[in-house]
Each structure stands twice: as structure tokens, then as C-alpha cells.
Amino acid sequence: MAPKHRRLGFLVVLIAVFAVLFIVNRRQKQAAETADLILINGKIVTVDARFPTAKWIALRGDRIAALGSDAKGYTAHVGDKTEIIDLGGALAIPGIIESHGHFMGLGQSKTILDLTKTRSWDEIVALVGEAAKSAKPGEWIQGRGWHQEKWDRAPEPNIDGLPFHDALSKVSPGNPVVLEHASGHSALANAKAMEVSGIGRTTKDPAGGRIIRDARGNAIGAFLENAQGLLRRRDAPLSPADAEARSRKMIELACRECLVHGVTTFHDAGVSFGTVDLYKKLAGEGALPVRLYVMLGADSKALAARGLAYRMIGEFANHLTVRTIKRLIDGALGAHTAWLLEPYLDLPANDAHPTGLNTESIEEMKATAEFAIENGFQLATHAIGDRANREALDIYEAAFKAHPDKTDLRWRIEHAQHLNSADIPRFGKLGVIPAMQAIHCTSDAPYVLKRLGEKRAEEGAYVWRKLMDAGAIIPIGTDVPVEPIDPMANFFAAVTRKLKDGTTFFPGQKMTREEALRSYTANGAYAAFEAGLKGSLAPGKLADITVLSRDIMTCPEDDIPGTEVLYTIIGGKVLYHH
């Protein structure tokens, strides 16, 4: 072949090769840019100041690929396998973050007697009586959710509103019964439960707990705080396989409740090492759809022995993180066990614990703080009363001063419900996060004034606005199963502080709707060191999205509680569709 023809042939081949490479590269690029799922025709609130709203959002894999306000802009991301969901004008927000709840407790609440709607002691006794009819002899009957302040009449006889066990024992003579208060900080038991637990007149109150007794020293069946631990099951323990099956069922039920309510991440406030082991097992099996941010509930000795082995961040495709320690320094206002600086106004002057209970010693709390700060753990302390909050802040401040090289710790106080005015600025100054529950405000309000009086309540009861003005970042949750996991009821409480009778509880402390949404999304992510992954909708972040039936940012206030979750999307996958 002549040199000229050879050069021409080589040029043709070269052009053909480049053409093939161009086509292949173009197709690969198109495939790489193609979205797996696109949501269109909606109002998308991003909680990102750079682009606050959008009309469509494209998801690829478990991440957000793109979003935009040009109604047809999404078409550039459509491929042969792209699924498109028309939102029909519905509101899409970042996946809701439950910033304080009890995951196993949520699941368990679906397997025991639900006492949240009971309005009298007689009604509770009747429910237990019905359960006893079908229970096997010796089988334990459990329930949760009663609250003596929400009954329509006080039981007779009673001590501080708490009933004597006699009526309960009469309808369940052959079955131990333990009924947990809505707050989880007290319990009622029948005679059989006390008998099998070995509780009698000589049983001493444990540290941080109290057995309520009558004038003769007999237990009436009410147990506060750490005294609940005296009620111990003596029946044959479950086999390891049966125990795991029961726990798996609770987790399955909890996941379902989260998905139905649009919760994509759950801050699990205090679990055992064994529970973390089970979470890891399920996550490894792909059976943990909801993302968990887990707090270890263990004392300083147990943490020193085992804690570091359990620390993990973003394992199992960001479905499991364990980097926080949870401790309790006091109880709850409803049970008269929140630790106060001044006595409760509605307790008799001779009450044994007029200012509530300190449930964990200051020395132990300091030891836990030392372990946490030296080993890279966040510390979260349950503190409800003003004395409890002050003590926790003092412990935190001392730890921070002793370790000036440790920064951006984001230690938390869970609840921070009742504060002294002198301590409110300390949250912002120290960078301590008050992880609060808006629904607690409107749920507890009817008896807060009775417990604290108007002056103390106005000064420091659920003072979101004062805390935010002082520079604190507030994530919100429900403390489920203390309150229902329903985010719409919680959001409504945050922006209205409206009670069932239509009155408002110190309305000057309300959040705006934008602040409440941020508290339920971006602030929850910040409190978990996950702001780079979630809490707002932006390219590169996890594709966790909640779609709501109403625009809660603009609809009439009273329409907010009736808003439904239409879609719950986690990691780019639709895991719930209404």
C-alpha cells in the first residue's frame, strides 16, 4: 500500500477509535449523572440558606445528586431506570431527626398495656383485670403511660396522688403487675409483684430512689426512681434465642413507628452494651432501616472496662453511631423527683425529699465526665430540675477547664426543662446543647404551676427563646415512649405552646416555624456531629427526606397536628408511602 493510502487508513481508524471512545465516554457520563429517584412538583424546603427552596430533587445511590427550581431542570437527570415521584405540591423537608427518645422502649410500648389515654385509677385497674383474665398464672403483666396529674379525679386513698395497691392486687392476685409512669421515673406494683421481688417493711430505700409507704411503714405499691429496680422478675429467664427474638420484634416495631412518622434518624438515649451488640447484628444484616445515634447507658467503671470497644462512627453505611454516654442526675417533675433548688410547692412540709432526688452521685458523674473527655465521647446528662441542671453545668465547666485542649465537644443536657435564670446564659457560653422536647411543655404545663409556682415557671420552665437568645442550639425530640413519637404534635407545641384548653403557656418562649424545623433537622444533625451528612438538603448529603401532606411552614396553626407523612425516604429509598 502506498504511504499516502496508509496514512489515510490510519487516520480513518484513529477517527473511528476516537468516535467509539467519545460515545462510550458520553454514555458512561450520562449513566453516572442519571438519578435513581427524582421528586418533582413539590415545595422542597432545604434548611440550607444558600438555596432555601426547590421544586425538584434528584437522588443517586444513598446521596442527593442535585436539586433545582427550574420546573423542567430535572430532565437532565432522567435515565432509563429513573423513578419519578410527582409530589403534587406536597412539602418535602430534610429527614426528621428524633433528638431524644428510647428506641427499645418505643418498640416495647407496642407490646404491653397502653395506659397513656387512661383518665382514672379505676380505669387502669379495669384494664389490668381484663389482662389478668387471659394471662397464665404467674405471668407478669406490664403497662406504661399513666400520669396521676392527668386523671380526672384523685384515687382514694392516696399519698401525693399515688394510689394504694389494694384494688390492683384484688383483680390480679396470681399475676405480678408493674405499671410504669409515662415519664419512666416511677412505677406502680401489685402485691404479687412486691412478694416475688422480696419487698417488705424492712426493705430499705436505695440510693436515689424511694418506696412510698403508709403511716405504718407498709409499701403502698408506688416506687420512685432507682427504687423501681427493686421490682425484679423471679420467673424463669428467657433462653438467649427467645430473648433475642423478643428484642428483634421490639426493634422491628420501633422502626415501623419511625418510618410511619417520617423519622429517619433516632437519637437513642441510653442503652446497654448488649443492646448495641444487637443493633450491630441487625445493621450487618441490613435489618436496621432507621439511622441510630446511640448513647451508652453505663457507669464509669463499666465504661472504663468496655466503653472504648463500643465507640463507632457512621458504621453500616451511616446507620449506626455510638459516640455518646448518657447519665441521669435527677428524675422528673411529674413524679416529684426532678432535683430543685427550692422545695416543691405541692408537697407537705415534712416530706422526706422536698426538693426531689439526686439519682446519681456527683462523684460518679465527675468520673463519667473524666472518662468521656479523655476518650472522645460526648456526654449527655438527663437533668430536669434547676438544681440538676446547675450541677451538670458545673461538672461540664470543670471538665472543660481541666482539658483546655479539648474543643468542640458539644456536650448535651437532655431535657433542660426547669432552669434558674443565672444558668440560662451558661449553655451558650459553654457550648452545651440543651436537647429539649417541645411536647413536654404543653403536656406538663397543667401541673407545672402547682409544682413550681408562677415566678419560677416563668423564669425557667421550657425557656426555648431565652436559651436561643443566649446562643444555645436546641435540637428537639419527643422522649418517646414518654410522649408519642408524632413529630407534628411536637412541631405544633414548639410554635404555639398551646394547651388542650386553648390557652398558651408563656407564649413569649415560642419558636418560629423556621426555628422549629431547624431544631427538628439541622440542629439534631449538629448535636450528633453529623451536619456534614444530614439535617439539610444539599448535593452530596445523605438522601434522607420526609414528605408531608401539608405545608407546615404556612398553613393555619391548628392544621399542623393533622398533617400526615406521605413518604419517608432513607438513603434514597422509599421505606414508607402513605
Side-chain angles (χ1 to χ4, degrees):
M1 182 181 290
K4 183 177 181 180
H5 290 121
R6 284 200 299 269
R7 287 196 300 272
L8 183 61
F10 176 74
L11 185 60
V12 169
V13 171
L14 189 62
I15 291 172
V17 169
F18 274 111
V20 170
L21 290 174
F22 175 78
I23 292 170
V24 170
N25 182 62
R26 184 178 179 183
R27 288 179 177 174
Q28 287 177 337
K29 186 176 181 181
Q30 286 177 334
E33 293 178 347
T34 296
D36 297 315
L37 176 64
I38 303 177
L39 309 181
I40 66 170
N41 192 27
K43 177 182 177 181
I44 299 168
V45 175
T46 66
V47 194
D48 188 320
R50 296 172 299 174
F51 36 89
T53 61
K55 292 182 179 178
W56 59 267
I57 184 166
L59 315 178
R60 184 167 57 248
D62 69 346
R63 302 282 172 154
I64 296 169
L67 68 171
S69 295
D70 179 355
K72 297 294 183 181
Y74 72 90
T75 57
H77 300 276
V78 176
D80 294 339
K81 297 182 180 180
T82 302
E83 179 185 358
I84 298 176
I85 295 177
D86 189 330
L87 297 181
L91 176 68
I93 61 175
I96 291 172
I97 298 173
E98 167 60 64
S99 290
H100 180 105
H102 304 278
F103 201 66
M104 296 296 286
L106 170 57
Q108 184 194 37
S109 71
K110 301 301 174 183
T111 67
I112 61 178
L113 292 178
D114 180 3
L115 307 178
T116 56
K117 296 178 175 61
T118 55
R119 290 295 173 262
S120 70
W121 174 236
D122 292 340
E123 190 178 337
I124 290 173
V125 169
L127 285 173
V128 172
E130 286 300 311
K133 290 177 182 178
S134 58
K136 298 176 183 178
E139 181 181 356
W140 284 70
I141 296 173
Q142 294 176 271
R144 179 169 179 161
W146 62 271
H147 200 306
Q148 76 278 17
E149 293 293 343
K150 298 179 182 181
W151 293 340
D152 55 22
R153 60 188 181 278
E156 291 296 339
N158 74 80
I159 295 177
D160 298 334
L162 299 173
F164 284 54
H165 69 83
D166 303 80
L168 185 66
S169 299
K170 186 176 180 180
V171 300
S172 54
N175 298 95
V177 178
V178 176
L179 308 175
E180 199 170 359
H181 190 272
S183 68
H185 290 269
S186 64
L188 302 174
N190 70 346
K192 191 68 175 178
M194 291 187 280
E195 175 192 330
V196 299
S197 299
I199 297 170
R201 292 189 64 180
T202 60
T203 304
K204 295 182 179 179
D205 288 353
R210 181 184 179 191
I211 303 171
I212 303 298
R213 304 175 187 274
D214 63 17
R216 298 180 179 180
N218 295 314
I220 70 167
F223 296 79
L224 308 185
E225 297 300 339
N226 295 345
Q228 294 176 90
L230 300 172
L231 296 165
R232 297 174 181 171
R233 300 183 69 145
R234 306 290 185 181
D235 51 349
L238 292 174
S239 68
D242 287 343
E244 180 175 318
R246 184 174 67 177
S247 294
R248 279 176 173 265
K249 182 63 177 178
M250 292 179 186
I251 292 170
E252 178 185 334
L253 291 169
C255 287
R256 174 65 181 172
E257 285 296 300
C258 287
L259 296 177
V260 167
H261 289 96
V263 172
T264 59
T265 293
F266 192 107
H267 292 190
D268 196 3
V271 305
S272 67
F273 295 114
T275 298
V276 174
D277 290 336
L278 184 55
Y279 288 164
K280 288 173 63 177
K281 189 173 184 178
L282 267 66
E285 297 170 3
L288 193 63
V290 177
R291 303 187 194 278
L292 294 184
Y293 184 80
V294 179
M295 308 178 193
L296 285 172
D299 62 29
S300 60
K301 289 183 179 179
L303 289 166
R306 306 175 65 185
L308 275 177
Y310 280 79
R311 190 178 187 276
M312 65 186 80
I313 297 175
E315 295 294 326
F316 307 101
N318 292 298
H319 274 74
L320 186 60
T321 289
V322 183
R323 66 175 301 169
T324 304
I325 297 163
K326 163 76 182 306
R327 302 305 306 269
L328 289 84
I329 199 169
D330 75 340
L333 197 73
H336 287 108
T337 55
W339 195 15
L340 304 179
L341 290 166
E342 299 175 29
Y344 285 89
L345 296 182
D346 59 341
L347 285 179
N350 62 348
D351 190 88
H353 300 279
T355 58
L357 289 172
N358 167 214
T359 56
E360 191 59 76
S361 73
I362 300 302
E363 292 72 22
E364 171 59 19
M365 293 297 300
K366 288 179 178 178
T368 302
E370 186 68 15
F371 173 86
I373 204 165
E374 288 184 351
N375 292 283
F377 279 93
Q378 182 186 50
L379 181 57
T381 300
H382 165 115
I384 288 182
D386 50 9
R387 172 74 182 274
N389 277 275
R390 176 168 293 178
E391 296 286 352
L393 288 168
D394 287 348
I395 292 167
Y396 286 13
E397 186 170 10
F400 297 165
K401 287 182 178 178
H403 298 82
D405 56 316
K406 306 290 186 180
T407 59
D408 194 27
L409 298 174
R410 304 187 198 182
W411 282 14
R412 302 165 47 147
I413 289 184
E414 308 300 303
H415 310 305
Q417 286 182 11
H418 307 288
L419 308 174
N420 183 275
S421 59
D423 294 315
I424 293 171
R426 299 177 70 192
F427 284 85
K429 181 181 178 182
L430 295 173
V432 172
I433 296 169
M436 305 181 77
Q437 299 73 44
I439 194 68
H440 280 342
C441 170
T442 54
S443 181
D444 296 356
Y447 63 84
V448 170
L449 296 180
K450 184 167 68 171
R451 297 279 196 276
L452 303 178
E454 179 135 0
K455 180 180 181 297
R456 289 156 72 187
E458 183 176 13
E459 175 183 300
Y462 317 94
V463 286
W464 311 321
R465 173 61 49 204
K466 291 180 182 180
L467 283 163
M468 290 187 295
D469 288 347
I473 295 173
I474 302 176
I476 61 173
T478 62
D479 201 12
V480 65
V482 176
E483 302 284 353
I485 196 173
D486 182 7
M488 293 302 100
N490 205 28
F491 185 90
F492 179 73
V495 302
T496 69
R497 294 174 73 100
K498 187 180 290 186
L499 311 188
K500 290 181 179 179
D501 63 4
T503 62
T504 54
F505 186 78
F506 299 110
Q509 295 302 310
K510 292 189 295 187
M511 292 184 184
T512 66
R513 299 195 198 200
E514 290 74 18
E515 288 166 341
L517 181 60
R518 178 168 290 277
S519 290
Y520 236 147
T521 54
N523 290 0
Y526 173 83
F529 300 89
E530 295 177 332
L533 285 174
K534 61 183 73 164
S536 62
L537 301 177
K541 288 196 171 185
L542 290 170
D544 296 353
I545 302 169
T546 301
V547 180
L548 303 174
S549 64
R550 289 194 181 107
D551 183 355
I552 59 173
M553 308 305 289
T554 60
C555 71
E557 281 185 348
D558 289 341
D559 287 347
I560 292 172
T563 303
E564 297 180 323
V565 173
L566 300 181
Y567 295 92
T568 303
I569 299 170
I570 300 179
K573 296 179 180 179
V574 177
L575 298 186
Y576 172 76
H577 178 205
H578 181 67

